[in-house]
Amino acid sequence: MSDDAGQGSDHIDRLRGQWQRELPELDTSPMAVLGRARRITLRVRPGIEAVFARHGLDTGEFDVISTLRRAGAPWRLTPTELYRTLMISSGGLTARLNRLEAAGLIRRREAEEDKRSLLVELTEAGRAKAETTFREDMALEKRILAGLSAHEQEDLAALLRKLALSLEDDGAGAS
């Protein structure tokens, strides 16, 4: 267990030290990455969720409108494309769509090429809300990462991408 780059000890270092004392034969190095990732996520999530709340959204609703906005003009997808992208159930998506439609941020319409299919599309209000909310979220996340240089952020992003891809490739996630 090392004190990285001369930095002070954090909560995870203290936990690892305690485990080292109690179970000295056990390698606790995974905590150095995954424990910190979890703590960081838990620490920043309330601030990010507060951004969404200021715009009258919860995280799931923001996920829907931002997915539609990222899809590009004309900012519409089928419900199937949406729930596959968001990795949620179709029932969970329906509830979100109902709330967003009631708020005037999306509309559901028949697909012109197949009247049996529905399309979900952003309204102008939905597009504006997605963009405004995303800009504020990115400003917050930039402030959160200000403790790292641009180069450190790039290095960290590259390592996290490598880890994410390895989990996708071998299915070694939360089994």
PDB file of all heavy atoms in Angstrom, residues 6-18:
ATOM      1  N   GLY A   6       3.019  11.268  -3.043  1.00  0.00           N
ATOM      2  CA  GLY A   6       3.224  12.156  -1.919  1.00  0.00           C
ATOM      3  C   GLY A   6       1.949  12.788  -1.380  1.00  0.00           C
ATOM      4  O   GLY A   6       2.005  13.699  -0.569  1.00  0.00           O
ATOM      5  N   GLN A   7       0.794  12.311  -1.841  1.00  0.00           N
ATOM      6  CA  GLN A   7      -0.478  12.843  -1.357  1.00  0.00           C
ATOM      7  C   GLN A   7      -0.745  12.303   0.043  1.00  0.00           C
ATOM      8  O   GLN A   7      -0.219  11.289   0.453  1.00  0.00           O
ATOM      9  CB  GLN A   7      -1.622  12.433  -2.301  1.00  0.00           C
ATOM     10  CG  GLN A   7      -1.464  12.912  -3.726  1.00  0.00           C
ATOM     11  CD  GLN A   7      -1.491  14.421  -3.845  1.00  0.00           C
ATOM     12  OE1 GLN A   7      -2.341  15.071  -3.286  1.00  0.00           O
ATOM     13  NE2 GLN A   7      -0.537  14.962  -4.562  1.00  0.00           N
ATOM     14  N   GLY A   8      -1.637  12.985   0.767  1.00  0.00           N
ATOM     15  CA  GLY A   8      -2.017  12.531   2.096  1.00  0.00           C
ATOM     16  C   GLY A   8      -2.899  11.305   2.025  1.00  0.00           C
ATOM     17  O   GLY A   8      -3.369  10.905   0.971  1.00  0.00           O
ATOM     18  N   SER A   9      -3.132  10.723   3.171  1.00  0.00           N
ATOM     19  CA  SER A   9      -3.996   9.548   3.250  1.00  0.00           C
ATOM     20  C   SER A   9      -5.455   9.957   3.156  1.00  0.00           C
ATOM     21  O   SER A   9      -5.848  11.006   3.648  1.00  0.00           O
ATOM     22  CB  SER A   9      -3.768   8.828   4.573  1.00  0.00           C
ATOM     23  OG  SER A   9      -2.487   8.278   4.615  1.00  0.00           O
ATOM     24  N   ASP A  10      -6.248   9.090   2.563  1.00  0.00           N
ATOM     25  CA  ASP A  10      -7.690   9.318   2.492  1.00  0.00           C
ATOM     26  C   ASP A  10      -8.405   8.185   3.215  1.00  0.00           C
ATOM     27  O   ASP A  10      -7.781   7.304   3.814  1.00  0.00           O
ATOM     28  CB  ASP A  10      -8.156   9.484   1.044  1.00  0.00           C
ATOM     29  CG  ASP A  10      -8.056   8.200   0.217  1.00  0.00           C
ATOM     30  OD1 ASP A  10      -7.573   7.162   0.722  1.00  0.00           O
ATOM     31  OD2 ASP A  10      -8.477   8.231  -0.951  1.00  0.00           O
ATOM     32  N   HIS A  11      -9.709   8.199   3.158  1.00  0.00           N
ATOM     33  CA  HIS A  11     -10.533   7.202   3.840  1.00  0.00           C
ATOM     34  C   HIS A  11     -10.174   5.779   3.390  1.00  0.00           C
ATOM     35  O   HIS A  11     -10.085   4.868   4.224  1.00  0.00           O
ATOM     36  CB  HIS A  11     -12.015   7.503   3.567  1.00  0.00           C
ATOM     37  CG  HIS A  11     -12.948   6.548   4.220  1.00  0.00           C
ATOM     38  ND1 HIS A  11     -13.226   6.579   5.567  1.00  0.00           N
ATOM     39  CD2 HIS A  11     -13.660   5.505   3.714  1.00  0.00           C
ATOM     40  CE1 HIS A  11     -14.068   5.617   5.862  1.00  0.00           C
ATOM     41  NE2 HIS A  11     -14.353   4.947   4.768  1.00  0.00           N
ATOM     42  N   ILE A  12      -9.976   5.602   2.101  1.00  0.00           N
ATOM     43  CA  ILE A  12      -9.655   4.262   1.577  1.00  0.00           C
ATOM     44  C   ILE A  12      -8.300   3.797   2.092  1.00  0.00           C
ATOM     45  O   ILE A  12      -8.135   2.624   2.450  1.00  0.00           O
ATOM     46  CB  ILE A  12      -9.723   4.240   0.035  1.00  0.00           C
ATOM     47  CG1 ILE A  12     -11.135   4.575  -0.451  1.00  0.00           C
ATOM     48  CG2 ILE A  12      -9.223   2.912  -0.523  1.00  0.00           C
ATOM     49  CD1 ILE A  12     -12.226   3.603  -0.004  1.00  0.00           C
ATOM     50  N   ASP A  13      -7.316   4.702   2.181  1.00  0.00           N
ATOM     51  CA  ASP A  13      -6.027   4.314   2.762  1.00  0.00           C
ATOM     52  C   ASP A  13      -6.215   3.836   4.201  1.00  0.00           C
ATOM     53  O   ASP A  13      -5.604   2.854   4.625  1.00  0.00           O
ATOM     54  CB  ASP A  13      -5.056   5.503   2.759  1.00  0.00           C
ATOM     55  CG  ASP A  13      -4.578   5.874   1.377  1.00  0.00           C
ATOM     56  OD1 ASP A  13      -4.427   4.976   0.525  1.00  0.00           O
ATOM     57  OD2 ASP A  13      -4.346   7.083   1.141  1.00  0.00           O
ATOM     58  N   ARG A  14      -7.058   4.545   4.960  1.00  0.00           N
ATOM     59  CA  ARG A  14      -7.297   4.150   6.349  1.00  0.00           C
ATOM     60  C   ARG A  14      -7.974   2.783   6.424  1.00  0.00           C
ATOM     61  O   ARG A  14      -7.594   1.930   7.236  1.00  0.00           O
ATOM     62  CB  ARG A  14      -8.112   5.222   7.064  1.00  0.00           C
ATOM     63  CG  ARG A  14      -7.300   6.498   7.310  1.00  0.00           C
ATOM     64  CD  ARG A  14      -8.038   7.520   8.164  1.00  0.00           C
ATOM     65  NE  ARG A  14      -9.168   8.134   7.467  1.00  0.00           N
ATOM     66  CZ  ARG A  14      -9.065   9.132   6.595  1.00  0.00           C
ATOM     67  NH1 ARG A  14      -7.878   9.638   6.293  1.00  0.00           N
ATOM     68  NH2 ARG A  14     -10.143   9.635   6.028  1.00  0.00           N
ATOM     69  N   LEU A  15      -8.972   2.545   5.557  1.00  0.00           N
ATOM     70  CA  LEU A  15      -9.631   1.230   5.530  1.00  0.00           C
ATOM     71  C   LEU A  15      -8.644   0.131   5.177  1.00  0.00           C
ATOM     72  O   LEU A  15      -8.621  -0.935   5.818  1.00  0.00           O
ATOM     73  CB  LEU A  15     -10.781   1.218   4.527  1.00  0.00           C
ATOM     74  CG  LEU A  15     -12.001   2.088   4.833  1.00  0.00           C
ATOM     75  CD1 LEU A  15     -13.015   1.963   3.699  1.00  0.00           C
ATOM     76  CD2 LEU A  15     -12.623   1.715   6.160  1.00  0.00           C
ATOM     77  N   ARG A  16      -7.848   0.383   4.174  1.00  0.00           N
ATOM     78  CA  ARG A  16      -6.875  -0.636   3.767  1.00  0.00           C
ATOM     79  C   ARG A  16      -5.876  -0.909   4.878  1.00  0.00           C
ATOM     80  O   ARG A  16      -5.480  -2.065   5.092  1.00  0.00           O
ATOM     81  CB  ARG A  16      -6.161  -0.203   2.483  1.00  0.00           C
ATOM     82  CG  ARG A  16      -7.088  -0.215   1.269  1.00  0.00           C
ATOM     83  CD  ARG A  16      -6.361   0.155  -0.005  1.00  0.00           C
ATOM     84  NE  ARG A  16      -5.404  -0.903  -0.342  1.00  0.00           N
ATOM     85  CZ  ARG A  16      -4.331  -0.715  -1.094  1.00  0.00           C
ATOM     86  NH1 ARG A  16      -4.061   0.480  -1.600  1.00  0.00           N
ATOM     87  NH2 ARG A  16      -3.520  -1.719  -1.361  1.00  0.00           N
ATOM     88  N   GLY A  17      -5.475   0.129   5.570  1.00  0.00           N
ATOM     89  CA  GLY A  17      -4.554  -0.046   6.698  1.00  0.00           C
ATOM     90  C   GLY A  17      -5.162  -0.914   7.786  1.00  0.00           C
ATOM     91  O   GLY A  17      -4.488  -1.778   8.370  1.00  0.00           O
ATOM     92  N   GLN A  18      -6.432  -0.694   8.067  1.00  0.00           N
ATOM     93  CA  GLN A  18      -7.120  -1.506   9.069  1.00  0.00           C
ATOM     94  C   GLN A  18      -7.200  -2.965   8.625  1.00  0.00           C
ATOM     95  O   GLN A  18      -6.945  -3.888   9.422  1.00  0.00           O
ATOM     96  CB  GLN A  18      -8.517  -0.954   9.339  1.00  0.00           C
ATOM     97  CG  GLN A  18      -8.500   0.379  10.065  1.00  0.00           C
ATOM     98  CD  GLN A  18      -9.862   1.050  10.058  1.00  0.00           C
ATOM     99  OE1 GLN A  18     -10.741   0.740   9.248  1.00  0.00           O
ATOM    100  NE2 GLN A  18     -10.036   2.007  10.975  1.00  0.00           N
TER     101      GLN A  18
END
